[in-house]
Structures are given as structure tokens and as C-alpha cells.
Amino acid sequence: MRMTGEEQRIQHQPGGRTPKRNSLTPDLSQLRPRGPKHRTAGMVAVTIVLWLGVAAQVAGQGKTPKPALLVLNKADSELAIVDPGTLKVVARVKTGAIPHEVAASANGKIAVTTNYGAHQDGTTISVIDLGSQKEIHRVELKNLTGPHGEAFGDLIGPHGVEFFDGQAWFTAEGSKKIARYDPATNRVDWVHEIGENRTHMLVISGEGHTIYTSNVNSDSVTAVVASPDKQKWFNTVIPTGKGPEGIDISPDGMEVWAAGSGDGTVTIIDTTTKKVTDTVNVGTKHSNRVKFTPRGKWVLISDLGSGELLVMDAATRKEVKRLKLGKSAEGILIAPDDSRAFVAVSGDNKVAVVDLKKLEVTTTFETGNDPDGMAWAE
């Protein structure tokens, strides 16, 4: 199977550097006592220095802010918890291998990461308590059984994830399925067959009766529509441009936009008819993510190939601005107040902050190696 640019980069592990000595941890060899009368003083000094070192480490793991910006560092297999006011990392939490996407519960207490693996072969999701800053569950997705003993099989290559109604809904690329995890019971309690190749991302309609998935290698979007009692779900496959990866639903729920990674187009779908109403050529080299701003004015598209962020007018479907960010623009998160967008520039190991009024990059900050998926925890 042909590997995308995203998959190829996953295998690259940034080279290490010789760390600089921490100024709070001086060389203990300088405190070695020179004779019997200095032994007591030397031991006291060593004790003080060691205590200072521990204190410095504790200070580096700060309290989780409210709200918090969550950033996944794929190459480090970790979640960085960031203070969105200071843009400083307050904590790091280890996850399963190579996590790609993250979602936070509505109450901001937990986050779920999809551990994609190095070769689309991951088989776990991580459940993280944001208050204690610990992984509390690593849920195994192989040989799953449902709540009534039904065989769910394997969920390989978990990727896109969204919280809805207290549960985490996610895709499984390698298994051509979507599934639902219930934190209250700590189990996957629902699995649904999509049947398309590389079911990558998903978005959920406001009332929760329709799920839309982007299927990269099938050049399609699947609309999964529930019966009124949500006991049965039905698939409608919608042809799109080539290689849809990023997908989002407009704030008014009327349109779904799917960005083609292979042909630089955006497919616009009417959510009432489940039909394509327009295909717009936006001229990207490899669209990665697409996001509506909360008020629906702009649509942001990250271009992994060019390292740019494209800003489009949602109403006119015209380009407004194109911002150069660096190497490999990927994940996008927009603050709920519509003021800022955070864009992961994975090739430069940084996150860019975009002012959505001025449409300018105001600053960048670092969270770790190969940042990508992000979430906002209230």
C-alpha cells in the first residue's frame, strides 16, 4: 500500500542532542569533602542540592490549567498539557505508541488519545486523567467483545476521535470501522462497519444522529445515519475528490467539507440530501486538516505539502489568505472564543498561533517532537 507523506514522517525519529546542564543541578563532584572535618558539611551540602533538584522537577509539573490546550507529540508518544495563556507546557503524560489525535470530555476531566502506531498498526487508546496528569487506562482494541457478548473483533490503527454525549467515538483505519468508548464502563460498547479504505477522521452532527467519516484511499465520505432510537445505523457513501483526510461540519450543521490530500480540492456536501453541492480547487499540495471557525466565517485548511495555512471565506468559498508556517502544517485547533487558531508545524517541532482577526501568525511555541493532534479542555 502506498504510504502518504504523513505515514512516512511518522517513522522519522528526530536525532538526539547532548543536553545542556540544568543550572539548578550543579556538579556534585565539586561538593566532595576534602577531609574528616569537612565530611559533615559536605553531606549537608549534597542533601541540600539533591532536595533542590527534586523541587525543580516537581515545579516543572504544574497544575493543569482551566482551560487547557492539549497537544500530542507523536514522535515522543506523549500528551503535552499547555497553559493557553502563557503557552508553556505544564505537564507531559506518556501514551501508547505514536498517538495521532486527541479529544477531551465536555467537563475537561479526561482526554482520550488514539495510538495509531508506527505503521497504522496501533491497537490501543489511552485514557488520561487531566487533573492528576496520569494515564489511567490503556484500552486494548484486539479481540473485543460487546456488552452482550457479541464479537467485535479487532480495531487496528485508531485515528480520528471526538467526544459526544460523554463518550469517545473513533475511527479504526486498518479495520475499516468506527467505534465508541464509554469512560464510565471503561469498555468499547459499539462498533460499526464502514467498509471503505483508511477511514481517517470523523465528525458528528449536532444532534448525534449522523457521523461523517473521511475515507482516504476510497476517495469518499461515509454518512452514517442512525434510526430514531439509535439502535441501527445506515451507511451512505459519497464520492469526493482524491484522498480526503481533513473533514469538518459547519457550525450551523448544513455543510460538510472534506479536503482532498491528493488533488488540492475541497468537496462540499449538503447534510440534508447527503449529496455533493460543490467541488472547489484550493490549490493545496497535500491538505491535511480542515476546520470551521466557531462562528462559521472562515474555514482553515492546513497544507502538509507546502507548510501553509489556507484561510477561506465559508460563504463565498474563496481564498482569503495563505500563511507560510514552516515544514509540514498538520493539526488545527481553534479556540472556542474564535480569537486564535493553533496549527501544528510538525516538521519544525513547533505550534504556530494565528490571530483570527488580523489573520497573522503572532508567535510559535514548542511542545515536543512532531506535534499534531490537539484538543481544548474546559
Side-chain angles (χ1 to χ4, degrees):
M1 182 180 69
R2 179 179 60 84
M3 295 177 66
T4 66
E6 179 179 341
E7 291 169 322
Q8 292 170 343
R9 277 196 331 283
I10 292 169
Q11 299 179 59
H12 171 69
Q13 299 293 329
R17 296 180 180 177
T18 302
K20 296 180 180 179
R21 179 176 295 279
N22 189 328
S23 60
L24 292 177
T25 311
D27 186 354
L28 297 185
S29 65
Q30 303 300 315
L31 300 173
R32 188 180 296 114
R34 294 181 296 277
K37 68 178 182 178
H38 298 287
R39 185 172 293 116
T40 301
M43 291 176 65
V44 171
V46 169
T47 301
I48 292 173
V49 169
L50 291 175
W51 181 86
L52 286 173
V54 171
Q57 290 179 2
V58 172
Q61 192 92 346
K63 183 179 179 181
T64 298
K66 289 279 190 175
L69 172 63
L70 310 179
V71 183
L72 288 178
N73 301 319
K74 290 188 296 193
D76 299 327
S77 295
E78 71 176 17
L79 173 72
I81 302 175
V82 179
D83 185 323
T86 64
L87 302 181
K88 301 296 184 183
V89 176
V90 300
R92 302 177 188 277
V93 183
K94 284 297 181 182
T95 66
I98 323 295
H100 274 219
E101 298 295 329
V102 57
S105 60
N107 60 14
K109 291 185 176 181
I110 65 170
V112 170
T113 75
T114 49
N115 305 322
Y116 186 72
H119 306 284
Q120 193 195 17
D121 56 356
T123 62
T124 66
I125 58 176
S126 292
V127 184
I128 296 169
D129 184 294
L130 295 174
S132 64
Q133 301 169 353
K134 294 179 180 179
E135 181 188 51
I136 54 175
H137 301 295
R138 187 169 297 181
V139 183
E140 179 58 58
L141 303 176
K142 294 183 70 176
N143 300 315
L144 289 171
T145 57
H148 305 294
E150 60 270 47
F152 283 163
D154 298 337
L155 297 174
I156 309 298
H159 196 273
V161 60
E162 295 284 344
F163 258 94
F164 184 86
D165 199 23
Q167 296 168 310
W169 305 66
F170 62 96
T171 66
E173 273 194 16
S175 302
K176 304 180 183 180
K177 297 176 182 178
I178 58 176
R180 180 180 65 202
Y181 167 76
D182 187 350
T185 60
N186 187 35
R187 69 181 302 163
V188 173
D189 63 5
W190 176 85
V191 171
H192 180 78
E193 185 80 32
I194 297 296
E196 299 287 280
N197 292 318
R198 282 198 68 206
T199 299
H200 194 63
M201 303 292 289
L202 82 170
V203 290
I204 304 174
S205 63
E207 80 292 338
H209 276 275
T210 308
I211 302 167
Y212 297 89
T213 70
S214 58
N215 312 308
V216 183
N217 291 357
S218 289
D219 302 334
S220 68
V221 162
T222 299
V224 186
V225 182
S227 60
D229 60 2
K230 291 189 178 181
Q231 295 303 304
K232 295 181 180 180
W233 297 75
F234 306 92
N235 294 351
T236 297
V237 178
I238 306 165
T240 66
K242 188 172 179 59
E245 289 192 22
I247 188 170
D248 201 12
I249 190 167
S250 60
D252 62 9
M254 300 303 293
E255 293 180 343
V256 166
W257 287 35
S261 64
D263 61 5
T265 65
V266 172
T267 301
I268 299 174
I269 300 166
D270 183 291
T271 58
T272 301
T273 64
K274 308 296 187 291
K275 294 183 181 298
V276 175
T277 59
D278 201 359
T279 300
V280 182
N281 188 346
V282 297
T284 51
K285 292 183 179 179
H286 185 142
S287 295
N288 188 251
R289 296 289 176 266
V290 54
K291 292 289 183 182
F292 280 87
T293 54
R295 295 184 180 90
K297 182 178 182 180
W298 308 129
V299 179
L300 308 184
I301 302 173
S302 58
D303 190 342
L304 190 152
S306 69
E308 295 175 326
L309 179 71
L310 174 63
V311 183
M312 293 186 65
D313 185 297
T316 66
R317 302 171 184 174
K318 301 293 184 182
E319 178 180 330
V320 176
K321 199 165 186 179
R322 202 174 288 249
L323 302 173
K324 186 68 177 178
L325 302 184
K327 297 178 183 178
S328 305
E330 297 197 44
I332 302 173
L333 178 77
I334 301 172
D337 65 1
D338 229 345
S339 62
R340 297 179 291 173
F342 301 90
V343 185
V345 189
S346 63
D348 291 330
N349 294 330
K350 67 182 182 182
V351 177
V353 183
V354 178
D355 185 312
L356 291 177
K357 292 183 178 179
K358 298 179 180 179
L359 297 182
E360 296 177 354
V361 176
T362 58
T363 189
T364 64
F365 62 98
E366 296 182 0
T367 61
N369 293 309
D370 200 8
D372 188 1
M374 291 177 281
W376 192 265
E378 293 287 355

